[in-house]
Amino acid sequence: MTCASCAVSLESWLKNKPGIQEVSVNYPNESVSVTFAPDKISPEDIHKAATEIGYGLVLGSEESREQQREEAGEKRLAQLKLKLWIAAVCTLPVFVLAMFLMRVFAWENIAMLLLSTPVMFYSGSEFFVNAWKQARHGKTNMDTLVALSTGVAYIYSTLNTVAPSVVASRGVEPHVYFESAVVIITLILLGRYLEERAKRRASGAIRALMGMQPKEVRVIRNGEEVVIPIGEVIAGDLILVRPGEKIPVDGKVKSGESYVDESMISGEPLPVQKNKGDKLYAGTINQKGSLKLLAQKVGSDTVLAQIIQAVQRAQASKPPIQKLVDRISAVFVPTVIVLAIIASAIWFFTTPDEPFTRAVVILITVLIIACPCALGLATPTALMVGIGRGAELGILIKDATVLELAYKLDTVVLDKTGTLTEGRPQVTAFQLAEGISEQELKTAVLSLEKLSEHPIASAIVAHLESGGVGAESIDRFESITGQGVQGVLGESAYRIGKWSWLESTGVLKEESLLRKAALHQQMAQTVVYIARDKQLTGWIAVADKLRDTSREAVQNLQNLGLEVQLLTGDNHETAAAIAREVGIEKFTAGVLPSDKGAVVQKLKNHNKV
């Protein structure tokens, strides 16, 4: 399809076929959604009907359809680029000769004819081919306008170039309008090339989501490990997921322990600890440990597949304004042709001086002015690109209608982790007890934390290594889930973790250290305590730092008259500290991800948009 009215004509053509109940053709998304009675018409019959007016459907499995569409899109982009270059190279001298060097050279009309011909018959060929396919079935689209206007201009100019005496004998000056024909073809080709490139980028968001699934997986069948394509995985398969690999399907942990990055689903950038029985989702990334996954949902049933379908549905959905545009586009081309003929006739019968030339010029002018038809093009392309770009940035728009309602917004609800904050923990303070060797303690901390898989350990390791600290080998290392780590370095036993755990192992209080730590905890920072044998030797404060742009972003939203609220799973103190820092007055803390929707619904019930 080459324009919005292509979608309208294909839609109206298919609607009249027996067995088809409902049709929705989406131009920017290059898709058609059809509800049909399979006993009366098949997908192959629908494809055959589409080819009658110059289109065709890509059939087959979802994967092969996507591949064919991708290949066709890349091929079309390359063709448009070549046609555009040829048109531009030929059009420039024609434009210069017609606009600035008119009647300077005796050969200029011949030169313009020779340069215009490849533009018309190669670069602009699709306009004439598509217009003819439509005309055979009594239909029109934007190509009809382009073909009529440029065709009339080219034929009239060619006649005045090769046989100027034909019109001159009627007392009419044999003018040529080659530049009008080639400039409009070049400009429309430029528009289509830019639009095609935008569509390729927009559909790249879908491809990026699809790329989150691995192509092949390791499954354990009959006690043996075999590698199979993702499409062959069935519910009940036992899948081996190694460190750094993507989770291929939805399921639960059968055995093993690891941290999994679930940010693409939850928005929470900190990896989540997974043990036996915990849920896993396709597209999320396994961190350091190996897992055995029991497949429960595969193919189109996975959460990732449903996200992809949601984005595709949104891109195919039509808001009220688009439906209005479609209705106008359906009558736009015939109306323009009728108006062009009427205008041409009026000038022909009312102009005493060169009426024929004047009538032809008016006909060409009206048709050319209407050619680009931003009306049918701008709305669907803007929606397609907007929704696609949103998906790239992690913003899923469930329906095009919500974009049209966005101007009514009065409340914006923000998550904390990864939205207001950077989403990755960083060391903010390192406090030592008096008389403790800084180098010795930092070496012990780095040596222990390097063996831990906890996300906070990664932040501590990165901080110490950037400061030039080196690690040594640890004896009797042990990681206590939810508490901390312990091990022996040299003659000393070290523990790093929660104060409650350290205290339960007999570590003695150090009041001044604990008081300083409490100040950091009040600022929504996590404090990890360090003990050597039974002595509290220091602590490390770790925080998910506020983004540099958060305060400004909240201020900008508030300046627009929007009420900004914070919604987080973190505790009340952390939420209060972050809200205070960015200038948000209302916040809700301690909310589970599954309950966040209910909080938003509650706001809606209080007439918030």
Side-chain angles (χ1 to χ4, degrees), residues 13-44:
W13 179 254
L14 292 179
K15 262 180 190 166
N16 296 324
K17 299 298 168 193
I20 291 184
Q21 293 146 11
E22 211 176 303
V23 183
S24 176
V25 178
N26 185 278
Y27 165 55
N29 205 21
E30 298 175 325
S31 66
V32 55
S33 173
V34 189
T35 308
F36 64 95
D39 55 329
K40 291 182 182 175
I41 193 167
S42 67
E44 287 72 21

Side-chain angles (χ1 to χ4, degrees), residues 1-3 6 27 53-55 75-84 118-134 141-147 150 185 188-193 195-196:
M1 296 187 290
T2 55
C3 67
C6 287
Y27 165 55
I53 56 166
Y55 310 106
K75 188 179 174 184
R76 170 150 176 78
L77 195 62
Q79 284 176 342
L80 276 172
K81 192 175 183 179
L82 178 62
K83 286 182 175 184
L84 178 60
V119 178
M120 298 295 294
F121 292 100
Y122 175 68
S123 296
S125 59
E126 69 178 48
F127 301 119
F128 298 96
V129 171
N130 292 338
W132 169 245
K133 284 177 179 176
Q134 295 282 326
N141 64 2
M142 297 304 154
D143 291 332
T144 309
L145 288 184
V146 181
T150 57
I185 282 177
I188 292 177
L189 281 174
L190 174 63
R192 286 191 178 176
Y193 173 72
E195 185 199 354
E196 190 67 33

Side-chain angles (χ1 to χ4, degrees), residues 238-467:
L238 194 61
I239 300 168
L240 190 64
V241 186
R242 293 178 179 172
E245 290 183 342
K246 289 175 181 173
I247 308 295
V249 295
D250 290 2
K252 67 177 183 179
V253 179
K254 188 75 174 168
S255 64
E257 284 183 16
S258 184
Y259 284 86
V260 175
D261 178 356
E262 292 187 342
S263 57
M264 56 79 63
I265 282 176
S266 66
E268 300 289 343
L270 285 181
V272 181
Q273 188 172 12
K274 297 291 181 180
N275 299 303
K276 186 176 179 179
D278 288 341
K279 282 267 182 196
L280 292 170
Y281 300 98
T284 57
I285 303 165
N286 184 28
Q287 301 281 282
K288 294 178 180 176
S290 286
L291 295 170
K292 279 185 183 173
L293 157 70
L294 181 67
Q296 292 177 317
K297 290 182 179 178
V298 300
S300 59
D301 293 331
T302 65
V303 170
L304 176 62
Q306 285 161 19
I307 290 174
I308 292 168
Q309 286 162 19
V311 176
Q312 287 173 327
R313 276 197 302 273
Q315 288 186 330
S317 63
K318 292 184 182 182
I321 193 168
Q322 179 58 41
K323 288 167 184 169
L324 173 66
V325 166
D326 285 351
R327 283 203 298 276
I328 295 169
S329 295
V331 295
F332 183 82
V333 178
T335 305
V336 168
I337 293 169
V338 171
L339 289 173
I341 293 167
I342 292 169
S344 178
I346 290 169
W347 282 88
F348 182 79
F349 291 114
T350 59
T351 307
D353 190 29
E354 296 189 12
F356 183 71
T357 300
R358 182 70 64 183
V360 170
V361 170
I362 292 299
L363 180 72
I364 293 167
T365 303
V366 175
L367 292 171
I368 280 180
I369 290 298
C371 275
C373 187
L375 179 77
L377 201 66
T379 311
T381 305
L383 285 171
M384 173 79 177
V385 175
I387 292 169
R389 181 74 181 122
E392 280 178 28
L393 298 170
I395 302 165
L396 297 182
I397 296 158
K398 70 171 184 177
D399 192 295
T401 309
V402 302
L403 289 177
E404 224 174 291
L405 297 174
Y407 77 95
K408 293 181 182 176
L409 284 177
D410 57 28
T411 307
V412 175
V413 185
L414 299 174
D415 186 33
K416 180 185 74 70
T417 310
T419 303
L420 289 172
T421 64
E422 290 186 355
R424 58 179 189 274
Q426 292 173 302
V427 173
T428 56
F430 199 121
Q431 183 70 44
L432 277 70
E434 285 183 26
I436 298 294
S437 163
E438 183 179 343
Q439 189 61 39
E440 186 184 318
L441 191 66
K442 285 186 174 180
T443 299
V445 170
L446 177 63
S447 305
L448 271 167
E449 294 290 25
K450 271 196 109 165
L451 301 175
S452 172
E453 293 179 356
H454 199 281
I456 286 179
S458 302
I460 294 169
V461 168
H463 174 77
L464 293 174
E465 285 185 336
S466 68

Side-chain angles (χ1 to χ4, degrees), residues 542-603:
V542 178
D544 181 9
K545 283 175 69 180
L546 199 68
R547 289 181 187 272
D548 295 337
T549 52
S550 291
R551 197 178 291 103
E552 184 191 350
V554 169
Q555 185 67 57
N556 288 343
L557 289 168
Q558 289 170 339
N559 290 344
L560 289 170
L562 297 166
E563 180 187 313
V564 183
Q565 295 195 19
L566 173 63
L567 187 56
T568 177
D570 256 329
N571 60 54
H572 188 273
E573 290 74 20
T574 302
I578 292 292
R580 192 166 52 246
E581 217 172 328
V582 294
I584 294 175
E585 288 181 14
K586 292 185 180 178
F587 65 88
T588 311
V591 186
L592 293 171
S594 56
D595 296 335
K596 288 181 180 178
V599 176
V600 172
Q601 189 57 51
K602 193 175 172 185
L603 288 170

